[in-house]
Structures are given as C-alpha cells and as structure tokens.
Amino acid sequence: QQQVKQSPQSLIVQKGGISIINCAYENTAFDYFPWYQQFPGKGPALLIAIRPDVSEKKEGRFTISFNKSAKQFSLHIMDSQPGDSATYFCAAKKDRGSTLGRLYFGRGTQLTVWP
Amino acid sequence: DSGVTQTPKHLITATGQRVTLRCSPRSGDLSVYWYQQSLDQGLQFLIQYYNGEERAKGNILERFSAQQFPDLHSELNLSSLELGDSALYFCASSVATREGPSSYNEQFFGPGTRLTVL
C-alpha cells in the first residue's frame, strides 16, 4: 500500500518554465514532508522540506506548497533549467522528535527540462 | 557529497549466494537506515538502527539481516539471493541525534550499492 502518492510519473518542461509535482497522503500522523532529488547513478539528495504547521516554504527556485486539510503537498520549480533534469521524490515521515525516522516515499517523477 | 559512504559500488553475484553491503554514516550520526530501490517497488524502507540497536523494521525479507557496529558503521547481509533481489540498496543516516519537538532527523543518503543477481 503506497502511503504517499505522487504525480505525474514524468514531466517535460521547457527551459524557464515552471515544473509542478504533486503528492498526496492519507496518514494524518505524518509531520514532516521532504523532497529528494536524484540524478542517475546517485543517491537521493535532500532538496527542501516542510512541516505541517506552515503552508509554504521557499528556497531559491524551489517552493513547497502544503495543504493540510486536503492532505496534499507540491513542489514548484521556478525558472526550470536543464540541470534540474532528475527524478524527484516526495516523502513523508512521522514521529517528529523521536529517533524513529523511516521515510515513506512517493514513486518519483522524472523531470526533463528542454533547453 | 552527503558524507555517507557505501561499499561496494557495484556487486554482481549468482542466485543462491550471500553478499554483504557496508555503510559508514556521517560523522556523529547515530541512526542508519537501509532502503531498497527497484523499478517495480520504488524506494522501500528496510530497517533502521540507532546506536547499535534495531529501531524499526520495514519491508525486509527474512533472508536479509543487518547490524550496526560499535563504531556505528552498518552492514546489510543478503542471503539465498534471488533474481528479484537485484536493485539499488541505499544507506542513509540522520543528521540529528537528539530527541525533542525541534528535531526532524533529516536523512542523508549514500551513493548506493547496485546489486545484480544473475
């Protein structure tokens, strides 16, 4: 059972455009929502993360929007660049503040940014 | 570079064999997590160790086992290998070692070990 559902599976965006990846979850115990970026042959790298007590977090060209009532969150990549071409994973975790920390991952979105 | 190291980078073996994957966490991190990444299952949590003790278990087969040593490095042992065990195996470690509402224990991933079972 996939606890975090991610869409779309793949995304093609023109350079300079906005890339949007959506995720949804059911478990209200989740209290931390990170996004990871993975390049071929590499491990996932933490990109940006959000807590459920804020509705938006921005770091440079990357923004997470969080809708607690809808149990949805999304990643927006502004001014997308060819170097952003990678696979993006949303994830969720519960038990904030404890040493338990398993991440529940979405299935990933393969982003391609055309020059 | 996340600071998490994994060896070997690639491993090719035959069905029925046993292999050991090794992970060294970031300096100071007490938690180590193992994940399996495959095309059909995506990224799946296997097991977590905290300061030498098993802390949480996920979708880990009985043929698989892990341990964390006093120097905090961890090993994942895979035995009686099957074709379906071919995957990328990632180790991650937590940046935070404290408990409390302000700690999120962000996880940083190593480069992975690609296991191919022939």
Side-chain angles (χ1 to χ4, degrees):
Chain A
Q1 179 189 359
Q2 196 74 21
Q3 295 219 23
V4 179
K5 296 183 180 175
Q6 183 173 348
S7 63
Q9 191 173 352
S10 62
L11 182 61
I12 300 174
V13 172
Q14 199 76 19
K15 179 183 175 183
I18 302 173
S19 304
I20 301 174
I21 304 171
N22 300 300
C23 286
Y25 64 97
E26 286 298 325
N27 192 335
T28 54
F30 288 143
D31 55 14
Y32 173 67
F33 302 88
W35 284 87
Y36 283 82
Q37 179 189 56
Q38 185 179 26
F39 292 103
K42 304 290 185 183
L46 181 64
L47 190 63
I48 186 173
I50 197 167
R51 307 175 313 194
D53 50 352
V54 298
S55 59
E56 186 175 283
K57 183 175 181 180
K58 184 175 181 178
E59 288 184 2
R61 296 185 294 108
F62 300 91
T63 300
I64 301 178
S65 297
F66 187 83
N67 186 330
K68 189 174 181 178
S69 60
K71 291 184 283 187
Q72 296 175 347
F73 58 109
S74 60
L75 176 69
H76 296 235
I77 306 174
M78 311 300 287
D79 186 27
S80 298
Q81 299 296 312
D84 297 332
S85 297
T87 301
Y88 292 82
F89 293 92
C90 61
K93 185 171 80 70
K94 51 186 175 179
D95 304 308
R96 182 181 70 176
S98 90
T99 52
L100 286 170
R102 66 164 295 177
L103 289 167
Y104 296 83
F105 282 94
R107 293 304 299 268
T109 296
Q110 190 166 351
L111 172 65
T112 303
V113 181
W114 288 99
Chain B
D1 184 1
S2 66
V4 178
T5 60
Q6 289 187 249
T7 57
K9 193 172 176 62
H10 300 279
L11 201 48
I12 301 174
T13 188
T15 55
Q17 295 298 305
R18 173 189 169 95
V19 297
T20 298
L21 282 51
R22 183 188 166 103
C23 167
S24 293
R26 289 159 49 101
S27 177
D29 287 356
L30 296 181
S31 274
V32 168
Y33 310 80
W34 286 97
Y35 292 86
Q36 180 192 58
Q37 185 176 35
S38 62
L39 281 174
D40 55 339
Q41 296 293 325
L43 266 164
Q44 295 284 321
F45 168 75
L46 296 177
I47 197 164
Q48 177 198 358
Y49 276 80
Y50 176 75
N51 202 19
E53 294 189 1
E54 183 183 302
R55 194 80 170 89
K57 231 172 183 176
N59 304 322
I60 188 165
L61 300 171
E62 284 190 11
R63 299 182 286 108
F64 296 1
S65 65
Q67 54 184 325
Q68 186 179 28
F69 295 87
D71 66 352
L72 300 178
H73 90 271
S74 178
E75 292 181 355
L76 179 67
N77 300 295
L78 315 176
S79 61
S80 302
L81 285 167
E82 302 175 358
L83 295 177
D85 297 328
S86 296
L88 273 165
Y89 291 85
F90 289 105
C91 166
S93 72
S94 289
V95 68
T97 59
R98 63 190 181 281
E99 298 200 26
S102 62
S103 66
Y104 287 91
N105 294 314
E106 294 90 343
Q107 292 178 33
F108 291 82
F109 283 71
T113 293
R114 181 175 292 279
L115 173 66
T116 303
V117 182
L118 301 175

